[in-house]
Amino acid sequence: MSVVLESVTKTFEDPQRPAGKVTAVDGVTLEVNDGELVTLLGPSGCGKTTALRIIAGFESATSGRVLIDGQDVSAMSPHVRNTAMVFQSYAIFPHLTVAQNVAFGLEMRGRARSEIEFRVQSILELVGLAGLEHRSPEQLSGGQQQRVALARAIITEPRVLLFDEPLSNLDAKLREQMRGEVRKLQRRLAITSVYVTHDQSEAMALSDRIVVMDAGRVQQVGAPLEIYARPASRFVADFLGRVNFLEGDVTDIQPDRVSILVRGRSLEVPASRSDLRVGEAASLVVRPETIRLTQASTGVSGAFVGTIRRAVYLGSTAEYDIDWDGGTLLAVVSSPLEHGLLLEGTRIAFDFPAATAHVLPHPPGRRD
Amino acid sequence: MGTQAVVRWWAQAVYDLRRLRDEPLLGAAIAAIFALLLLFILYPLARVLTVSLFPDGTLTLRLYREFLGSWFIRQAFVNSVLMGVLTAVGGTLVGFLFAFTLTRTDIPGKSLLTLAAILPIISPPFVSALAIILLFGNNGLITRQLLGFQEFAIYGMRGLLLAQIFTFFPVAYLTLRGVLESLGGTLEDAAMNLGATRWKAFRRVTLPLCLPGIASALLILFIESLADFGNPLILGGSGFPVLSVQVYLQVTGMYDLPGGAALAVVLLIPSVTTFLVQRYWISRKRYVTVTGKPTRAVIRAVSQRMRWVLFIACAAVALFVLLFYATILVGAFSRAWGADHRFTLRNFGYVFGVGAQAIQDTLIIAVTSSPLAGLLGMAIAFLVIRRRFPGRQAMEFISILNFAVPGTVIGIGYILAFNQRPLLLTGTAIILVANFLFRYIPVGIQSGMAGLRQIDPAIEEAATNLGASTPVTFRRITLPLLVPAFFSGLVFSFVRAMTAISAAIFLVSADWNLMTVQILSQTEAGRLGAAAAFSVLLILIVLLAIGIIRLILGQLFEYRYQAAFG
């Protein structure tokens, strides 16, 4: 089953705004392939939840179409769409037991009593809730409620599984454990899934592809690695992980690489770009963990030189704010136990492999 | 509204209708509810208006001109409004006193004070009037027996004001108690923590935050006072005419239905205006909703001396209320009030003999109408809050409109609307059931809405998402979760159906009579003992019914009246 959004737009009336309305989803076009898990990732208010609710049918698109498995469902009532959603608040029916909650969707489909019992049993075993059939929801822990919500959704064998920030109410440890389980289940059942989250590490860990959204629009679509390594804009670069922008000028463009002059040093970045012009400004996207530090006294030729202004020891990593060229640069070094911690005020030389950097054209009229 | 807005509205309506194709049952339910609301709420009102404008078949303002020219009617209008204002101010003051004292101090005897503030709500609205006559009337215990007055003018404005304040202050109390409880004490703590004295904390924090609630209580009491019928009928006399009674007298005394209808319209105007102000202006200014869980109230907000002042004030009011009820109780067991106070069961013998039919009728009608009102209230609350369909706001407005319409106006409307085929209902039980059902759904709707606001919408969405149509979602998920709201709506409409008089007095017949109407006619006939016995019995039935329902529900929910007035 595939899910297709065709230039879906949703505007809400909002008398508070000067325009009288607010555009929550703005011309979103998207295709989720059969069995794929696609994450809608973005800050709160970016339209990701609205887009999800449009697929489920809880909101109606102002314009555009939603197709599930090639069928236009835009005008279909939510209860006949056969999409199952896992809600942020779990939305467990508080007056029904665990088994009754899980059985609800099959009952609605008019399945036989014996079939329901059998399938409820096997799905509860699958999600690790066997033995809790007759518990009432308030007797369950947060993680168990989460599993009930999941079981209740997948038992109906929906055409699409929808997740609305399902793990945001769990504590950090459980969240990591559950996201592994969600991914395993989704792969095993091969259900086409759309997953909404604002947590970029969750998106990276779960997704086949990530759709980064901002202000109602799709900013970039791609596999986690691709989006992290080659963000399409400063927003995407900034939203996924942490980032340094190094400003420079394009000096040469070859079919497979771009040369950029940064603070008197020419860096060759492998890229095949048509949106850059020689002589124009550009930004280099440099991830903090790619920066390598050495004490300046040892004198590494060709490297940048700066001063450590702040050092933060975090156990598995150490973070350094480096004063450099009138700005601040962030470097993250792994295993400080092994390499030793650098002190604040130390002059250091730093460098990064040009192959890991990414070039973005500098937006016109902006210089920061 | 610009053209663009109209186009957008139209597009949305078309879209919503298209979606109803997947939900034929939902569409049918919406249509059926609309049909019922139109028939039993709007149509009677429309009949009142048309009959008053077309008394002889042609459009004329003759009736209105006549009334405007009549000194007596002008006086009645002035009296009604004056009484409304005074009752609103007095009742809100007493209500605030009770609400503040009970939420912000730890005085002794709280449960007795609460009882005094609740009792008037579950008794017929003219019990105060009856008690006042027993105590202060021509043969009154206090005026005649204790003080020896031969003539004491309790009839008229003073007596009526007293009766109305005692009848309606509980409404203000419940509204303001909700506000004060949901404000909690933390804000006052914060104010005092920042250096405010207790008085300053009250003046600068508590009172301003209560103002919307106080305004709301004032307007609601104004509406209730305008609509009140039993008290002025007993206490007003000819010296102090008020509109609600004049409407009734015009119809039953002079057999002048068009005239009564025109007067009803005159009465309707201030009521509905006030209602619209309350609903669309004041209630938007609320800082807090009355639905939250009450936080533990502070008891430091009041000084030790003030605490005693408040206690004495409340105790005085409560004593008066309890005195009223004690009077009724004693009156019910006395041979002849004012003359022979020896114990007798004769009054009850009379009630069970002559009044047995009325008791049975009242019970049948109340037991039929209140569950229906509860169910319909939940259904409308659900549709209005959780579903989109064209006319949603109209449905909400029409269904709560009756809250603002004085009972006498509804009574006339029902006579006018349902006195000929194919809608011949006068004289039947159906007209009484329909009357109570549609008059008291606002209560159910309000508590249903309050209940729904506490239920995560995602729970119902989950059901829909799993394949449940709207009717199935409502039956399997929403209704079970709304059980507390349903029963609080049910209890309230049961109490009202048992105790209401103003509309019902037009609709009773030889076949179907009501206890309240009996009490009133006994009072008018001077059989005060029988009236008192009827009242005692009625209050006992109401208490028993509430007790039974609470028992059945057990600990399922905490019974509160609040939602009824939210």
Side-chain angles (χ1 to χ4, degrees), chain A residues 132-146:
Chain A
L132 301 182
E133 293 82 359
H134 303 297
R135 291 276 179 91
S136 79
E138 71 256 32
Q139 294 171 295
L140 300 179
S141 69
Q144 288 170 329
Q145 291 187 19
Q146 174 65 66

Side-chain angles (χ1 to χ4, degrees), chain A residues 106-113 115-116 119 155-157:
Chain A
L106 294 181
E107 258 183 76
M108 291 302 118
R109 285 160 178 75
R111 297 297 163 77
R113 187 96 233 135
E115 183 198 342
I116 293 178
R119 285 183 51 191
I155 198 171
T156 60
E157 297 175 341

Side-chain angles (χ1 to χ4, degrees), chain B residues 121-146:
Chain B
I121 283 194
I122 57 160
S123 29
F126 46 83
V127 158
S128 299
L130 183 58
I132 284 173
I133 288 184
L134 292 174
L135 289 170
F136 304 108
N138 291 337
N139 243 335
L141 185 73
I142 292 176
T143 41
R144 179 87 177 259
Q145 314 275 314
L146 290 179

Side-chain angles (χ1 to χ4, degrees), chain A residues 13 53 77 83 85 89 109, chain B residues 8 22 456 461 465-466:
Chain A
E13 309 265 318
R53 291 172 61 81
S77 177
T83 63
M85 189 185 278
S89 59
R109 285 160 178 75
Chain B
R8 266 210 305 270
D22 288 329
D456 182 1
E461 284 177 356
N465 180 254
L466 291 168

Side-chain angles (χ1 to χ4, degrees), chain B residues 12-315:
Chain B
Q12 185 68 49
V14 169
Y15 179 85
D16 290 340
L17 278 178
R18 247 193 334 152
R19 278 217 158 169
L20 284 179
R21 278 186 318 198
D22 288 329
E23 299 247 44
L25 258 173
L26 173 64
I30 291 171
I33 288 175
F34 260 121
L36 287 171
L37 295 179
L38 288 178
L39 183 61
F40 287 105
I41 295 178
L42 281 191
Y43 177 58
L45 290 179
R47 283 290 290 162
V48 172
L49 197 63
T50 51
V51 167
S52 76
L53 289 172
F54 298 88
D56 328 299
T58 49
L59 177 67
T60 170
L61 289 173
R62 176 171 60 79
L63 293 170
Y64 292 95
R65 267 201 302 275
E66 274 173 25
F67 287 138
L68 273 177
S70 152
W71 169 86
F72 192 70
I73 296 300
R74 279 209 310 271
Q75 192 58 45
F77 184 80
V78 171
N79 287 348
S80 278
V81 173
L82 178 69
M83 188 51 62
V85 171
L86 293 177
T87 303
V89 172
T92 304
L93 269 175
V94 178
F96 188 81
L97 170 76
F98 265 75
F100 185 81
T101 308
L102 287 170
T103 55
R104 291 296 191 272
T105 67
D106 58 344
I107 52 159
K110 270 191 179 180
S111 52
L112 212 60
L113 291 180
T114 311
L115 177 73
I118 295 293
L119 257 183
I121 283 194
I122 57 160
S123 29
F126 46 83
V127 158
S128 299
L130 183 58
I132 284 173
I133 288 184
L134 292 174
L135 289 170
F136 304 108
N138 291 337
N139 243 335
L141 185 73
I142 292 176
T143 41
R144 179 87 177 259
Q145 314 275 314
L146 290 179
L147 303 173
F149 291 136
Q150 286 304 316
E151 289 279 315
F152 183 78
I154 193 63
Y155 293 94
M157 192 173 138
R158 266 186 301 173
L160 181 55
L161 181 60
L162 194 65
Q164 288 205 336
I165 287 179
F166 276 100
T167 308
F168 296 124
F169 89 86
V171 177
Y173 158 72
L174 289 174
T175 307
L176 293 169
R177 180 175 182 129
V179 173
L180 281 165
E181 268 178 354
S182 55
L183 279 182
T186 20
L187 293 174
E188 283 149 28
D189 282 350
M192 288 192 268
N193 178 258
L194 293 168
T197 60
R198 290 190 175 99
W199 171 244
K200 277 228 168 105
F202 177 78
R203 278 275 298 118
R204 297 282 305 278
V205 176
T206 317
L207 198 59
L209 288 172
C210 285
L211 275 183
I214 290 175
S216 204
L218 282 170
L219 297 178
I220 293 172
L221 256 58
F222 180 77
I223 294 173
E224 295 263 14
S225 164
L226 273 187
D228 188 26
F229 172 75
N231 286 318
L233 186 68
I234 297 174
L235 281 171
S238 56
F240 195 79
V242 297
L243 273 181
S244 56
V245 174
Q246 288 314 309
V247 173
Y248 171 69
L249 295 179
Q250 198 78 23
V251 173
T252 56
M254 306 183 197
Y255 300 102
D256 176 13
L257 263 170
L263 277 180
V265 173
V266 175
L267 176 60
L268 195 58
I269 291 166
S271 300
V272 171
T273 314
T274 313
F275 170 71
L276 293 178
V277 170
Q278 193 271 335
R279 181 156 177 80
Y280 292 101
W281 189 52
I282 302 289
S283 56
R284 294 226 169 132
K285 291 187 186 285
R286 288 217 170 165
Y287 299 102
V288 286
T289 51
V290 193
T291 51
K293 236 183 178 173
T295 44
R296 212 166 55 84
V298 278
I299 48 174
R300 287 183 302 283
V302 171
S303 72
Q304 202 58 21
R305 190 143 41 102
M306 197 60 200
R307 177 170 167 259
W308 285 109
V309 174
L310 292 173
F311 174 70
I312 289 168
C314 285

Side-chain angles (χ1 to χ4, degrees), chain A residues 23-24 38 73 79 101 131 142 173 190 194 209 219 230 243 296 315 330:
Chain A
T23 303
V38 167
V73 298
H79 77 282
N101 261 283
K173 264 223 164 98
V194 183
R209 284 188 300 151
Q219 304 294 321
R230 288 184 291 283
V243 70
L330 176 71

